[in-house]
Amino acid sequence: MREFQCDLAIIGSGPAGLACAKSAAEHGVKKIVILERNPQSGGILNQCIHNGFGLSVYKEELTGPEYAYRALQLIQRNFPFHKDPDMVEDGISLFTETMVTYISKVVTDIAKDHQIQALSPKGVLIIHAQKVFLAMGCRERTRFNILTPGTRPAGIFTAGAIQKIINQEGLMPAKEAVIIGSGDIGLIMARRLTLEGAKVKLVSEILPYSSGLTRNIVQCLQDYNIPLRYNTALVDIIGKKRVEAVVVAPVDENRRPDLSRAKTITCDTVVFSVGLTPETDLTKTLGLVIDPATNGYQVDETLQTSLPGFYSGGNVVHVHDLADLVTMESERAGAGLAIPRVPRSAPVYLTHNENLRYIVPQLLRYQSFGPLVLSMRSTRVLPKATLTIISEGQVILKQKREHVTPGEMLVVTLPEVLAQKIGNDLTVNLDEETL
Amino acid sequence: MKQELICIICPRGCHLSVEVKDKTVTSVKGNACPRGEAYAKKELLAPARTLTTTMKVEGGQTPLVSVKSQGEIPKELMICAVQYLDTLTLKAPVLVGQVLVENLLDTGIAVVATAENLEQNLEPVA
């Protein structure tokens, strides 16, 4: 067993973990340890071989693996960097093939000691950390999350799983596929399967709109004439050893399928792209507050969770549509955990109207410090909308937005001069503009 | 003639309204940046895409390396290009940015690695 002390332990080395490490180091945090369960840093970026990453952060279009490489390079070039070291020194230490199994908090009069237990090729690792940044990302929802009936033959995958099998393991498990759900990974895998020789017979979406980016509908489906049907549900999977067919049916406004209009589509593969959910299982025993709207950690403006000393960012807080947004959020967390701030007399819990599903951060704990960034998602499509930020009856900010969809996160930055106007409450309203 | 397009240059996905007269684009509206105008012209006259795929690697830490075309290739060549690249096998080590194919299907566009795949017995840099 090995035992180390550090100032900051980061769990996960995807875009969130790497960005937080860099930002925390820039803000003077000395001993930083990153724990990564895979042999390589970068997280899910490594299997996202498509481009479209990095336009905001790196000002150029990168693929996922290139994005991961750049993020690591920024750390290696600017700070002392140690990979799988025998002892933890100043700088950033990355432990790979190291899987965190348990986190405990020990708060005594003398010290706050957060203990992280991990398994590595060299045995058990115990990390004593002053602060912890949770960057475990998210996990895919499966057929069971959407209560899909039918048999359980081979040939049923989540989009991320088939992405890993094709892009990293070099295997091609499909000839004829149907994709359930039109999230980004589903759209990207529709193209990938087509390019590698499979026939994608249908992308079926139960909602009247796609949760994926519009550009992906254009360049992944329309480019290859792959049909996309909205308001369509999967009602059966047929097959004993291997998938033989799926049955889909149109749904009414209550999402109830009309079985009299059901259609059978023969295929050997079903790919589920039915959403992502933050991967918070690791901290269950710590009892961190989870926001039911995001399924991720509730955080304040410094990205601190409900447990002092525990910070979080990226997809484990709320599922983002762009890696750049994960990077920017986690950079704010790196600063947030390093810079001491003056607390408010009482926290301000953000509220919003029915057109918004959630806002991150969920609360403000500190007095105004620099610009305040709010990330939010709408509940429905609004072709033209007005976003209003109100505190104590005063309108602080009013913005017009076009093409608001639940599939694209809204980010609003309140400059410091406006953030200072926030009093004892804060409401964000998104209202439809009628012509 | 008026045509509706969705710009795919960046994730913003601007909805463009394009006027076409005699096979030339006369006006583009709805674009948030100049790249939208360039995209609309190109998309209607000669659509092209950046290709991202994988290539086989022998003796590497993993069986594949991710690659991309170092520029856009005509849209209709995408499937042909993947079929061609799938016939090739590289030798480890492969480094990020390394040119793997100089002229993809006579497009004049190179194929470069977007990740590294070092020899099996060496420790990766990270």
Side-chain angles (χ1 to χ4, degrees):
Chain A
M1 191 184 81
R2 293 178 299 160
E3 215 164 336
F4 299 127
Q5 303 274 348
C6 68
D7 298 317
L8 171 64
I10 296 175
I11 301 171
S13 73
L18 294 176
C20 175
K22 172 183 155 271
S23 166
E26 279 168 357
H27 289 91
V29 178
K30 288 264 164 355
K31 270 187 194 173
I32 301 174
V33 165
I34 308 177
L35 303 165
E36 168 56 52
R37 67 181 167 193
N38 282 314
Q40 202 188 359
S41 63
I44 282 317
L45 284 169
N46 292 318
Q47 69 184 61
C48 299
I49 63 163
H50 53 278
N51 57 354
F53 297 87
L55 288 160
S56 307
V57 171
Y58 296 104
K59 309 290 175 213
E60 63 179 295
E61 192 168 23
L62 302 171
T63 64
E66 289 171 312
Y67 195 99
Y69 185 78
R70 293 278 185 103
L72 184 67
Q73 268 194 329
L74 281 179
I75 288 176
Q76 289 174 323
R77 285 189 183 161
N78 295 306
F79 307 101
F81 177 78
H82 323 280
K83 184 173 177 274
D84 296 313
D86 290 323
M87 54 185 292
V88 171
E89 292 170 58
D90 281 4
I92 298 170
S93 301
L94 170 68
F95 289 87
T96 61
E97 294 180 273
T98 301
M99 170 105 178
V100 176
T101 52
Y102 191 71
I103 306 173
S104 64
K105 52 167 179 174
V106 183
V107 184
T108 64
D109 292 343
I110 315 156
K112 268 186 280 179
D113 179 20
H114 306 302
Q115 275 187 36
I116 298 170
Q117 221 174 76
L119 290 174
S120 77
K122 290 181 186 164
V124 172
L125 196 64
I126 306 278
I127 306 274
H128 300 267
Q130 291 287 315
K131 283 174 180 164
V132 179
F133 182 71
L134 303 163
M136 292 88 76
C138 58
R139 154 197 313 172
E140 288 179 283
R141 302 204 313 148
T142 68
R143 69 177 288 192
F144 301 106
N145 293 100
I146 60 163
L147 304 174
T148 308
T151 53
R152 296 172 63 180
I156 302 173
F157 301 92
T158 57
I162 205 166
Q163 183 179 50
K164 185 176 177 152
I165 290 166
I166 296 174
N167 292 348
Q168 292 193 296
E169 292 169 18
L171 304 169
M172 181 57 189
K175 288 194 179 79
E176 290 192 322
V178 168
I179 294 176
I180 306 303
S182 62
D184 283 313
I185 321 166
L187 300 175
I188 282 158
M189 287 319 294
R191 174 177 62 184
R192 187 76 187 120
L193 284 160
T194 307
L195 286 173
E196 290 293 354
K199 169 126 187 92
V200 178
K201 294 179 123 178
L202 178 69
V203 177
S204 166
E205 170 61 59
I206 194 167
L207 298 175
Y209 56 85
S210 166
S211 60
L213 299 170
T214 19
R215 68 188 302 238
N216 283 334
I217 293 175
V218 177
Q219 63 184 359
C220 297
L221 300 189
Q222 290 174 11
D223 273 9
Y224 301 94
N225 300 314
I226 299 168
L228 166 62
R229 295 236 189 301
Y230 293 115
N231 300 307
T232 302
L234 173 67
V235 293
D236 202 2
I237 297 175
I238 299 165
K240 251 190 171 168
K241 283 193 168 161
R242 178 81 196 193
V243 172
E244 287 161 23
V246 294
V247 183
V248 294
V251 295
D252 62 20
E253 58 275 14
N254 299 318
R255 293 192 209 167
R256 229 171 263 143
D258 176 359
L259 294 179
S260 69
R261 288 158 68 205
K263 257 176 83 176
T264 302
I265 302 168
T266 58
C267 58
D268 57 28
T269 301
V270 190
V271 178
F272 283 89
S273 172
V274 290
L276 303 164
T277 189
E279 172 74 273
T280 57
D281 282 3
L282 190 57
T283 59
K284 255 185 185 161
T285 51
L286 292 174
L288 300 186
V289 175
I290 303 285
D291 179 349
T294 57
N295 283 318
Y297 299 121
Q298 179 199 74
V299 291
D300 66 22
E301 71 274 43
T302 64
L303 280 302
Q304 184 168 216
T305 67
S306 59
L307 188 64
F310 282 77
Y311 294 76
S312 186
N315 285 349
V316 74
V317 172
H318 57 129
V319 177
H320 296 62
D321 6 278
L322 301 172
D324 274 347
L325 296 175
V326 169
T327 295
M328 292 188 272
E329 181 177 277
S330 304
E331 282 177 351
R332 294 198 296 277
L337 63 86
I339 303 168
R341 297 195 191 189
V342 185
R344 288 172 177 268
S345 50
V348 171
Y349 286 85
L350 278 74
T351 54
H352 55 82
N353 69 353
E354 74 288 348
N355 286 333
L356 287 172
R357 193 151 65 81
Y358 70 77
I359 305 178
V360 170
Q362 286 85 355
L363 69 152
L364 306 179
R365 249 189 218 115
Y366 299 93
Q367 288 178 25
S368 166
F369 184 92
L372 175 66
V373 181
L374 304 175
S375 308
M376 60 200 84
R377 220 173 260 285
S378 71
T379 48
R380 61 190 181 98
V381 178
L382 302 167
K384 277 184 195 284
T386 311
L387 192 101
T388 319
I389 300 179
I390 306 156
S391 180
E392 297 184 349
Q394 299 289 312
V395 173
I396 294 181
L397 185 86
K398 205 168 188 166
Q399 265 185 5
K400 281 195 199 309
R401 296 279 180 146
E402 286 190 8
H403 300 294
V404 173
T405 99
E408 297 192 22
M409 203 166 90
L410 289 164
V411 182
V412 183
T413 305
L414 277 179
E416 181 158 23
V417 282
L418 296 183
Q420 281 170 352
K421 293 185 181 173
I422 298 169
N424 293 319
D425 61 55
L426 190 63
T427 300
V428 182
N429 288 332
L430 184 69
D431 294 296
E432 183 157 21
E433 248 185 66
T434 42
L435 296 168
Chain B
M1 195 184 63
K2 209 174 181 181
Q3 259 185 287
E4 301 288 323
L5 276 183
I6 298 172
C7 180
I8 60 168
I9 297 298
C10 84
R12 189 182 171 118
C14 288
H15 291 238
L16 311 177
S17 175
V18 192
E19 287 278 357
V20 187
K21 232 182 208 170
D22 302 327
K23 288 197 175 171
T24 47
V25 172
T26 53
S27 94
V28 180
K29 280 179 193 149
N31 49 313
C33 77
R35 291 184 302 173
E37 193 177 328
Y39 169 77
K41 287 180 178 163
K42 205 167 163 195
E43 186 64 12
L44 290 175
L45 306 174
R49 300 281 185 266
T50 299
L51 174 69
T52 58
T53 183
T54 52
M55 289 177 76
K56 290 195 271 284
V57 178
E58 226 174 52
Q61 288 167 338
T62 57
L64 300 174
V65 69
S66 55
V67 305
K68 69 173 179 186
S69 61
Q70 212 171 26
E72 292 185 329
I73 63 168
K75 197 170 92 174
E76 69 271 13
L77 285 182
M78 295 285 275
I79 290 178
C80 279
V82 172
Q83 281 172 351
Y84 167 66
L85 294 174
D86 279 348
T87 63
L88 308 178
T89 302
L90 306 165
K91 275 216 160 58
V94 177
L95 301 175
V96 178
Q98 187 178 328
V99 175
L100 306 170
V101 174
E102 280 183 7
N103 181 4
L104 177 63
L105 301 180
D106 289 325
T107 53
I109 301 291
V111 174
V112 296
T114 57
E116 67 183 9
N117 194 341
L118 304 180
E119 284 129 310
Q120 208 162 20
N121 297 326
L122 289 178
E123 272 281 303
V125 178

